[in-house]
Amino acid sequence: MSASPASSSTSAEPTPQTQPVKKRRTPGACDHCKKKKKIRLEKMEKLLNKLLPKVDLSQELENIDDLETPPESSLLPRNDDDILEEELIGKLKRLHVDPPQGRFFGKSRHTALDIRSEYVGTSRRPRSVLDGQRAQFWSKPPWHPLQDEATPSINYSYPDEDLIVSLVSAYFEQINPFFPLFHRPSFEKSVSERLYREDTNFGGTLLLVCALGSRYSGDPRVFYDGTTSEHSAGWKWFEQVSIMRTSFIPAPSLSELQNHAVRRLKS
């Protein structure tokens, strides 16, 4: 048996959404508030009559209604964002990195010894940090190495002099144009003066330069000892140079900093 049209249309209709139930006012609540306001106004009127006995309040209230309404422009809301922005700009203009007047950091510390010296009349010499030095810790013992001797001497094994000239030339022709870390005339002058025999930092730089120049050399002396593999070219000089310092007392030299950059090109 088929369903009736009325029942089918009723079932097809969407269920209406439930609306929030509004809270009902308590009967007589408004009357109670009005009564309280009326009592308060009566009390204020009695107080004004007591303070201003010669003033007719009813007449003054009528005069207030006759006053001109302020223009509409004065009733526009203020844009507080513009005011805050102006105040912020003014405060930023008053900021100085080096203010003209001395800065105040608060009162100086007044110790009991300072108060005693004021009453007794003796001047108290400010104590230096070096006054508390103990000789057994601050004086250098004879067995302690000097600052220049803190870095141990390194015995590098360099290529033959004719091979050094060839490898340095290959480096400056093939690599230095793309990574200009060195000034070629100054570098070649230091090599000709054999500065690498005296300065171990420059000696390490020279070995790294020779190791990189070995990639573009056909001399079999660049290969690692005991092999003829082209992949071993320059590694016997590269492995001698370590960028890890044994002492952090002396300041780093230019050659030492350049060694870090050259080493990255090889690795």
Side-chain angles (χ1 to χ4, degrees):
M1 184 174 181
S2 59
S4 62
S7 61
S8 61
S9 61
T10 306
S11 60
E13 291 181 357
T15 307
Q17 296 181 355
T18 57
Q19 297 181 355
V21 181
K22 295 183 179 180
K23 294 183 178 180
R24 296 182 179 179
R25 292 183 178 179
T26 308
C30 294
D31 298 338
H32 180 68
C33 294
K34 289 178 182 178
K35 187 176 181 180
K36 286 179 65 177
K37 290 178 182 178
K38 185 177 179 182
I39 295 172
R40 189 173 182 181
L41 286 173
E42 290 176 355
K43 289 182 179 179
M44 292 179 64
E45 186 177 358
K46 290 180 181 179
L47 179 62
L48 289 174
N49 289 328
K50 184 178 180 181
L51 296 175
L52 304 170
K54 298 180 181 181
V55 178
D56 187 2
L57 296 178
S58 303
Q59 184 65 32
E60 291 296 331
L61 288 173
E62 293 178 0
N63 294 338
I64 290 176
D65 296 337
D66 297 338
L67 292 177
E68 296 182 359
T69 0
E72 187 178 354
S73 59
S74 63
L75 300 177
L76 294 176
R78 295 175 56 189
N79 192 347
D80 294 337
D81 294 338
D82 295 340
I83 299 174
L84 293 175
E85 185 177 353
E86 292 177 1
E87 292 180 358
L88 180 62
I89 293 173
K91 291 179 181 179
L92 291 175
K93 287 182 179 179
R94 291 195 295 270
L95 291 177
H96 296 280
V97 177
D98 188 12
Q101 69 275 8
R103 300 179 63 184
F104 180 70
F105 294 97
K107 296 182 179 180
S108 60
R109 187 178 57 164
H110 215 51
T111 62
L113 294 176
D114 295 328
I115 299 174
R116 177 180 176 276
S117 61
E118 290 179 3
Y119 283 100
V120 177
T122 58
S123 60
R124 180 170 174 257
R125 182 179 66 87
R127 184 178 179 183
S128 174
V129 179
L130 302 178
D131 293 342
Q133 290 183 352
R134 291 174 287 180
Q136 64 269 30
F137 297 109
W138 285 85
S139 59
K140 186 175 68 64
W143 63 85
H144 195 281
L146 297 174
Q147 179 175 345
D148 298 336
E149 299 174 354
T151 305
S153 58
I154 303 174
N155 296 322
Y156 287 136
S157 176
Y158 298 99
D160 298 333
E161 292 186 2
D162 62 321
L163 186 56
I164 289 178
V165 176
S166 173
L167 297 178
V168 169
S169 178
Y171 174 86
F172 279 99
E173 291 175 1
Q174 302 293 336
I175 299 177
N176 202 66
F178 304 99
F179 302 97
L181 295 174
F182 305 101
H183 180 242
R184 183 170 185 175
S186 302
F187 192 90
E188 291 180 342
K189 180 182 178 183
S190 300
V191 173
S192 62
E193 294 175 354
R194 297 184 178 180
L195 179 62
Y196 56 90
R197 299 290 182 183
E198 302 173 1
D199 187 356
T200 56
N201 288 326
F202 180 75
T205 306
L206 177 61
L207 287 177
L208 293 175
V209 168
C210 292
L212 289 171
S214 300
R215 297 177 178 178
Y216 309 96
S217 174
D219 197 310
R221 291 177 291 178
V222 301
F223 299 143
Y224 204 84
D225 296 338
T227 181
T228 57
S229 173
E230 295 180 356
H231 300 290
S232 67
W235 276 101
K236 59 183 177 182
W237 300 309
F238 179 81
E239 65 180 4
Q240 297 183 49
V241 184
S242 175
I243 59 175
M244 297 298 297
R245 304 188 68 183
T246 57
S247 174
F248 293 94
I249 297 177
S253 62
L254 176 60
S255 298
E256 188 177 358
L257 297 177
Q258 289 171 336
N259 289 349
H260 287 267
V262 181
R263 191 179 177 88
R264 293 298 300 171
L265 297 178
K266 179 67 174 176
S267 57

